[in-house]
Amino acid sequence: MSEKYYPLTPETVPAYVHARPELREIFHEDEAVEAVEVGDGNLNLVFRVWAKADPKRTVILKQALPYLRLVGDSWPLPTDRARIEAEALAIEYRLVPQHTPRVYFYDADMYLTAMQNLNNHIIMRKGLIQGIKYPHFAEHIGLFLAKTLGYTSDLVLDYRTKKEQVARFISPELCKITEDLVFTEPYRKTERNRYHKEIEPQVLAFQADEALHVEVALMKEKFMTHAQALIHGDLHTGSIMVNQTETYAIDPEFAFYGPMGFDIGAVIGNLFLSYASHEVRTPDPEQRADFRRYLTDTVIRLWKVFEREFQSVWAQVDAINMPKGYQDDYMLRLLQDSAGMGACKMMRRVIGLAGVEDIRGIENVEERSIAASLALNMARALIMQRGDLRTIEQMVEIATGCRPAYPWKETSPFASAVR
Ligand code: SR1
Ligand code: MG
């Protein structure tokens, strides 16, 4: 730990920002500055800061705590994740500035990044919960994925830069969180799982399902060993800020060199979680069908944009070493990985420690069980059938063909557990 580190508070923020010359373009010397802590994530302090005389002059300060905020100081966390996030943001900004918040500076003593306040945007998950559509999201995120993944991979980087980059982004502790929370704990009895008891029969069935465990283990192995590209590492809809015209990906503190399908799958899996939640969140059948069509069209469109934009990557490869047949095979593997990884991201959000508001925020427990059960069934189908996938439309068909198993019927495979 740096000796100069101290966790900021709203009271200490004004003096801190006035001491930073990089913020002179925003805050005048010694003017009144106000701050509020707005972090609602699992890990960090986040301060919204603005000039009292002109709240449009504003900035976000994100500071790493040396422990996991969600749990407390019994779970220490390396502050180096703040450097990784700042460096990942710099790379993303170079590749897709229109979808990456601007960074003013990174303070290596305070493990703190000062960045653009996206105050005209909301966290996408919150918008989806309200049934708000984002018409440009698929185009934006498809481009973001293609550029950030393609241009940090071996397909584009020279042999030396790629290896140097892998080394800069080694992040054992944050990867371990994902290995445990996404690929291990949901499938066994552990104290950290947080599912609600009504859904337990289905959870226990998943925890006894060896065929499922094989597929999850294959995904975990890929996550741990496939240094394919610099991935964001946590690209769920809580890490995306949107409005009707713009999209920004925030929070790449879990960035490392991993499989591209983990990022693509995170976006798709979270859109499918929203789909499952609207089984109960939108009671009117027409409205529900309409919003779900938006979600599935978005999944299809984002993949197609990703494929289209990835063409600029393929244009740079040596076509003798990497002929068309190899390129097609690469894209197919990405599609199948995205289904498998996305499925794991869905199951962890229902069963594991860190849930999502889409499902866990449903107050009525019967309704929450219906949505959770549907999300689990969609995820299982996606991971088990991913090897048969040839198109994104087939992925959507698999997911939308699923039904909730709750309330348990006599014929349901989970009925024996409730008798
Ligand atoms: C223990 S941290 C829980 C989760 O929060 C982050 O957003 C990641 O998704 C991580 O798995
Ligand atoms: Mg985060």
Side-chain angles (χ1 to χ4, degrees):
M1 277 297 279
S2 141
E3 282 176 6
K4 294 186 182 152
Y5 174 84
Y6 60 92
L8 287 172
T9 64
E11 291 70 39
T12 55
V13 162
Y16 178 82
V17 299
H18 282 309
R20 298 298 311 199
E22 304 92 333
L23 294 180
R24 286 283 147 73
E25 61 176 290
I26 300 178
F27 303 119
H28 310 148
E29 224 171 328
D30 293 332
E31 76 170 328
V33 163
E34 299 196 317
V36 62
E37 209 278 313
V38 292
D40 64 351
N42 298 322
L43 281 83
N44 305 294
L45 295 172
V46 181
F47 297 92
R48 187 157 54 82
V49 190
W50 66 95
K52 196 171 177 190
D54 177 9
K56 285 205 287 302
R57 288 189 282 115
T58 176
V59 72
I60 290 287
L61 303 182
K62 178 172 176 181
Q63 186 179 34
L65 287 165
Y67 55 83
L68 188 76
R69 184 174 181 164
L70 175 71
V71 172
D73 54 13
S74 61
W75 188 332
L77 266 192
T79 40
D80 186 50
R81 68 184 191 276
R83 173 195 62 83
I84 287 194
E85 173 166 354
E87 292 192 12
L89 282 170
I91 291 172
E92 291 168 358
Y93 193 79
R94 184 167 50 73
L95 294 168
V96 267
Q98 68 277 42
H99 302 308
T100 307
R102 176 177 167 203
V103 169
Y104 297 105
F105 65 87
Y106 172 63
D107 180 343
D109 291 321
M110 290 287 274
Y111 312 113
L112 178 151
T113 302
M115 66 187 110
Q116 179 184 1
N117 182 1
L118 298 165
N119 49 355
N120 295 317
H121 305 74
I122 66 165
I123 294 285
M124 185 175 190
R125 186 183 305 292
K126 294 192 184 299
L128 294 181
I129 287 173
Q130 294 170 51
I132 302 173
K133 298 175 185 172
Y134 297 98
H136 303 291
F137 171 71
E139 282 286 332
H140 294 166
I141 206 72
L143 178 74
F144 177 88
L145 289 165
K147 296 280 185 217
T148 59
L149 299 177
Y151 284 83
T152 60
S153 74
D154 289 282
L155 301 172
V156 173
L157 294 184
D158 75 84
Y159 75 99
R160 180 177 295 279
T161 309
K162 162 70 191 323
K163 274 90 176 171
E164 287 167 357
Q165 287 297 97
V166 171
R168 282 206 76 76
F169 285 96
I170 294 283
S171 183
E173 303 306 329
L174 272 79
C175 284
K176 180 77 165 79
I177 289 178
T178 306
E179 288 153 25
D180 289 345
L181 296 189
V182 178
F183 296 108
T184 307
E185 295 182 4
Y187 312 99
R188 60 178 64 164
K189 240 186 165 32
T190 77
E191 288 196 346
R192 294 209 297 224
N193 284 336
R194 292 266 171 91
Y195 58 85
H196 60 287
K197 83 172 175 0
E198 284 73 8
I199 201 75
E200 184 153 58
Q202 196 168 353
V203 173
L204 293 181
F206 275 42
Q207 291 180 346
D209 184 342
E210 212 180 310
L212 174 64
H213 299 175
V214 170
E215 302 310 318
V216 172
L218 288 167
M219 292 293 99
K220 181 176 180 181
E221 180 198 277
K222 196 161 249 187
F223 178 83
M224 294 176 78
T225 62
H226 199 33
Q228 194 175 21
L230 178 62
I231 66 170
H232 176 288
D234 199 23
L235 198 54
H236 54 86
T237 47
S239 296
I240 295 169
M241 298 204 62
V242 280
N243 61 26
Q244 289 302 301
T245 52
E246 293 181 318
T247 304
Y248 286 87
I250 61 169
D251 276 5
E253 68 203 302
F254 282 78
F256 79 113
Y257 264 79
M260 297 183 185
F262 192 74
D263 274 3
I264 308 166
V267 179
I268 293 177
N270 276 268
L271 292 170
F272 283 149
L273 279 172
S274 176
Y275 181 100
S277 77
H278 283 282
E279 179 81 8
V280 295
R281 283 190 177 276
T282 306
D284 177 76
E286 265 177 40
Q287 238 182 306
R288 180 168 64 236
D290 179 62
F291 191 64
R292 282 178 154 179
R293 203 167 312 110
Y294 160 72
L295 292 171
T296 53
D297 284 351
T298 300
V299 169
I300 292 170
R301 184 85 199 120
L302 80 84
W303 174 261
K304 297 212 157 161
V305 172
F306 174 77
E307 272 186 320
R308 183 190 75 204
E309 295 298 329
F310 216 82
Q311 288 310 315
S312 71
V313 173
W314 290 126
Q316 301 188 39
V317 304
D318 165 358
I320 296 178
N321 256 336
M322 298 180 192
K324 177 76 171 63
Y326 169 79
Q327 297 178 19
D328 292 345
D329 181 77
Y330 193 103
M331 297 308 284
L332 181 58
R333 282 184 280 120
L334 285 189
L335 180 74
Q336 296 176 351
D337 285 357
S338 303
M341 300 281 180
C344 293
K345 304 277 275 182
M346 293 174 75
M347 291 184 278
R348 63 81 58 110
R349 293 301 187 190
V350 175
I351 303 173
L353 173 70
V356 285
E357 199 188 334
D358 312 54
I359 306 283
R360 292 204 180 156
I362 299 169
E363 275 183 29
N364 179 294
V365 75
E366 300 289 310
E367 291 182 357
R368 196 186 323 140
S369 303
I370 291 170
S373 170
L374 175 57
L376 289 179
N377 279 345
M378 290 167 75
R380 189 179 186 285
L382 285 168
I383 193 168
M384 299 307 290
Q385 295 174 46
R386 73 186 189 289
D388 300 329
L389 284 179
R390 295 293 173 272
T391 65
I392 187 68
E393 287 84 357
Q394 288 170 344
M395 194 198 295
V396 164
E397 241 173 72
I398 290 172
T400 57
C402 295
R403 297 287 169 268
Y406 189 91
W408 321 125
K409 298 190 187 71
E410 277 303 304
T411 51
S412 121
F414 315 117
S416 58
V418 279
R419 262 192 232 120

